[in-house]
Amino acid sequence: QVQLVESGGGSVQAGGSLRLSCAASRYTYSSNCMGWFRQAPGKGREGVATIYSDGSTNYADSVKGRFTISKDNANNTLYLQMNSLKPEDTAMYYCTAAAGGRSYCSTDWVPTFPYRGQGTQVTVSS
């Protein structure tokens, strides 16, 4: 059964930090690419970060140096550590998963992945 459940969203002031978590079913976690995308009101989906089965990562330019994606294989959990948050980071954040090659495991493709959670809201105030 495919299941992704996000948590950890909330409201913070600019410059603050949040850590998002995504609990994945064993079947979903076996997908060799997992990632995060976000969607702000009135805007399209934006790929944020991905992590491939070999541990390689990919980030959107807008979050490089501020966000870190990681996995806890023992607990089938995906994380997104977000530091130095900005008001423009305000969005609904979704955890996603897919099977594919490394070139597919990129922020360009992550908004189209077939599996996703219900989302968690992140609000950053100035």
Side-chain angles (χ1 to χ4, degrees):
Q1 182 179 358
V2 175
Q3 187 173 20
L4 297 165
V5 180
E6 302 96 335
S7 62
S11 297
V12 295
Q13 290 190 327
S17 298
L18 284 172
R19 187 175 80 158
L20 305 184
S21 300
C22 174
S25 63
R26 178 177 295 182
Y27 175 83
T28 309
Y29 199 77
S30 65
S31 300
N32 56 5
C33 179
M34 297 188 73
W36 298 87
F37 73 89
R38 64 189 181 186
Q39 188 165 21
K43 295 187 177 181
R45 297 179 180 182
E46 178 189 13
V48 175
T50 60
I51 184 165
Y52 194 57
S53 53
D54 64 359
S56 57
T57 57
N58 181 249
Y59 295 94
D61 288 343
S62 59
V63 307
K64 278 182 182 176
R66 300 188 298 121
F67 291 12
T68 303
I69 188 171
S70 62
K71 292 170 62 178
D72 180 345
N73 293 326
N75 293 305
N76 293 350
T77 303
L78 179 73
Y79 298 102
L80 185 68
Q81 177 67 44
M82 306 186 296
N83 298 328
S84 302
L85 283 161
K86 304 175 181 180
E88 51 264 44
D89 295 317
T90 295
M92 186 72 81
Y93 284 71
Y94 296 90
C95 171
T96 65
R102 186 185 295 180
S103 61
Y104 179 60
C105 194
S106 75
T107 54
D108 290 336
W109 289 106
V110 68
T112 69
F113 286 1
Y115 309 121
R116 69 171 192 180
Q118 82 288 350
T120 186
Q121 177 68 37
V122 172
T123 303
V124 184
S125 59
S126 58

